[in-house]
Amino acid sequence: MFANDRSGREKSIFEWIGRNLSPESCTSEEFIYNEMESQSGYSLPVIYQPFDASDRWHWSDRGMLYDFLYSTNGEGKKLLDFGPGDGWPSLIVAPFAMEVIGIDASETRIKVCTENAKRLGINNASFVSYKPGTELPFEDNTFDGIMAASSIEQTPDPRKTLEELYRILKPGGRIRIYYEALSDYKGGFEKDIWIVKLSESACKMVLYDRDWENEYALQYGLTVDIPEEELKERLSGGKEEIRFDQVSVAFLEEIKNRISRAQVMKTIHPSGKTWVSWLKAIGFKEVLPSYSGGMAASELFDLYSDDNRPSDLKSVDEAIKKVVKIVTGLEAPIDFDPMITAVK
């Protein structure tokens, strides 16, 4: 009975939004990325924060650097970063490459990446924009390698995007794909909420309706003219955790006159099996689902004690590189939805 009640409540929330707010359909950059000063919340090591060898996540970030670098055979090569966010991984990979070009549909992201590159003194990374759903502004066979971190699935048609990336990749070139499959949300996390600050007086409440079986997600974005912390307080009743089940039609009615914009976006989230199928059908001659360098670096961090763990960036890199080079070449079970390397 409880499950049926919950399902009915969730359905009524999305129906209420559709009926009362008439959300406009939009693409991902219109939905959120143009509105974010920092996609990462200024949390990225090296790009925004000094590297901290005592922080497990900082090790993971270095592991991802070498994951993308080695998986694309990118040392000294020309690389594309598709969907660079705040300049990740392009700006941390750039010191090892000949050239890195980042491309994004969001003008805000391009501006942020360009400013970050200038601030960091990185001269071999540049960033360009394109209109989603159109051809990428590059000639055939342009890049030695392509890095795509949770970005292809943010485009209107991920398969067509993958075909474009194949077109601009050189024969023998490699693409490394990190993606958000929906398998992680099975068992109670299909419906979710995220509140992001837009200004001192406004925030955006994003409600997720994920269908992992059919590999897509609907996101409803409500721009609310209420400060972020105040909205969280009103939603949770003072509790620290913000959860989807705190949202109700009654709550939406209460804040309706403060909702200045409503949007809806559908994104396709292929599973690992679907990615492999697409890559092979498009023409990639080798497709390898493999383990993540970030995961390997995190596990390596755990093997050290606080007393014997490397304490500077150079020493950490030396420890991480060898492990990442091995694990990124090891085939991982596709049911785990692992990262994927494909060779044209």
Side-chain angles (χ1 to χ4, degrees), residues 142-153:
T142 296
F143 294 95
D144 298 296
I146 297 174
M147 306 174 290
S150 297
S151 55
I152 300 175
E153 63 269 32

Side-chain angles (χ1 to χ4, degrees), residues 220-320:
Y220 295 83
L222 307 181
T223 300
V224 188
D225 295 327
I226 297 174
E228 176 193 12
E229 291 306 318
E230 180 184 338
L231 183 66
K232 289 180 177 179
E233 171 80 18
R234 291 172 65 169
L235 180 63
S236 67
K239 297 177 182 177
E240 186 172 335
E241 183 182 9
I242 304 298
R243 304 187 312 273
F244 181 86
D245 61 16
Q246 295 165 342
V247 183
S248 65
V249 168
F251 177 77
L252 294 175
E253 291 277 8
E254 178 186 329
I255 65 169
K256 181 181 176 184
N257 65 342
R258 307 287 292 276
I259 299 174
S260 58
R261 188 181 189 187
Q263 299 164 291
V264 62
M265 175 180 69
K266 181 178 181 179
T267 48
I268 308 300
H269 293 263
S271 64
K273 289 180 180 178
T274 300
W275 281 115
V276 169
S277 174
W278 285 0
L279 288 161
K280 289 180 177 178
I282 288 168
F284 285 90
K285 62 184 181 182
E286 295 178 35
V287 180
L288 176 68
S290 69
Y291 292 97
S292 156
M295 176 201 70
S298 297
E299 295 292 328
L300 182 61
F301 175 93
D302 293 338
L303 292 177
Y304 290 102
S305 69
D306 292 340
D307 295 329
N308 67 7
R309 185 178 296 119
S311 59
D312 61 88
L313 181 57
K314 182 178 180 181
S315 299
V316 170
D317 279 355
E318 286 303 313
I320 286 175

Side-chain angles (χ1 to χ4, degrees), residues 74-79 93-100 124-125 144:
E75 291 184 273
K77 301 291 182 61
K78 183 174 183 176
L79 302 176
V93 170
F96 303 90
M98 178 183 73
E99 180 184 7
V100 180
N124 66 331
D144 298 296

Side-chain angles (χ1 to χ4, degrees), residues 163-184:
E163 291 171 353
E164 269 296 282
L165 295 174
Y166 178 85
R167 177 183 68 79
I168 64 175
L169 187 63
K170 292 180 181 179
R174 294 166 169 250
I175 183 172
R176 181 64 162 171
I177 303 173
Y178 178 85
Y179 55 96
E180 183 191 30
L182 299 182
S183 55
D184 288 343

Side-chain angles (χ1 to χ4, degrees), residues 26-34 105-106 151 154-156 265 267:
C26 61
T27 53
S28 60
E29 75 282 357
E30 299 167 324
F31 187 84
I32 191 66
Y33 296 125
N34 281 337
S106 167
S151 55
Q154 294 295 321
T155 64
M265 175 180 69
T267 48

